[in-house]
Amino acid sequence: MTTMTPNTTTTATMPGGADETGQTTPRGRPRSQKAHKAVLDAAAELLLDQGLTAVSMDAVAKRAGVSKATIYRWWPTKETLALDALYTEWDTTPTHPRDTGSLRGDLLALLRPWARRAGTRPYARVIAALLTEVHTDPAFAAEYRQRVVEPRREQARTVLHRAIDRGEIPADTNIEVALDLLYGPLYHRLLHGHAPLGDRFVKEVIDMALRGTQPPADASHKHTDNPRRTRSR
């Protein structure tokens, strides 16, 4: 039984989103979407300005202007919220990598923007903190790989498979190892900070990795004979 307050009217919603007057009610939750974005923006600001320890539900709720209950409805822990905020911050790369006509050009178009963006904010500190959780929480580790690691690797897989179709690299190229050769050095510099993660380094990594994926030279050009055996006796 519903208790009515004075001067309060109700409108029954009909199937299909129409009310009793025949008006169609808007679908979706614009307020929820606005709150969702506000929470992610607040979490990203705290995460990048002060680090993972600053991303408490209280601090995010205060900055976003929402209740903690609203936040917990979407994110069970501050780590999952931070992960989502990081993913949203970095989710700017096109789903389909550019086709420049060559593997080297495709890789430069894919990896240079990533490296440049990584250097604009303290992402290294954020990723390092999240990796601590990755090695202590298997469930979070799976989510981290799905949201942060796999999207980047999948884009590079597309580029490498495209190169195989062009005949630039052998069809039996170990794609997963090639991905590690490309991304490994970039993350190494990002996390350790021992040297700049700039355009020149990205180019050098790509060139060195490509040399490792080239087919072996023809056996006829290899010096396989023992020089001692070819001497006149």
Side-chain angles (χ1 to χ4, degrees), residues 86-193:
L86 176 65
Y87 175 81
T88 303
E89 276 280 304
W90 272 13
D91 190 25
T92 56
T93 307
T95 304
H96 301 289
R98 280 178 53 195
D99 187 346
T100 65
S102 72
L103 174 56
R104 186 175 186 273
D106 289 356
L107 289 173
L108 285 170
L110 178 66
L111 298 180
R112 270 184 170 171
W114 180 92
R116 288 170 183 167
R117 187 165 182 79
T120 60
R121 303 290 296 274
Y123 288 110
R125 178 180 65 190
V126 173
I127 292 176
L130 292 176
L131 285 175
T132 300
E133 295 299 320
V134 165
H135 291 287
T136 57
D137 184 341
F140 180 78
E143 189 172 357
Y144 177 87
R145 285 190 289 268
Q146 179 186 358
R147 300 299 299 278
V148 176
V149 179
E150 274 305 307
R152 303 293 172 194
R153 292 179 72 89
E154 185 56 32
Q155 289 172 336
R157 285 189 193 102
T158 298
V159 167
L160 291 172
H161 283 298
R162 189 188 292 159
I164 290 174
D165 293 339
R166 293 193 195 107
E168 292 180 272
I169 57 177
D172 62 352
T173 297
N174 190 320
I175 298 295
E176 298 307 307
V177 172
L179 295 179
D180 288 340
L181 289 174
L182 290 165
Y183 277 111
L186 303 185
Y187 273 101
H188 184 71
R189 283 211 175 180
L190 176 66
L191 292 173
H192 292 283

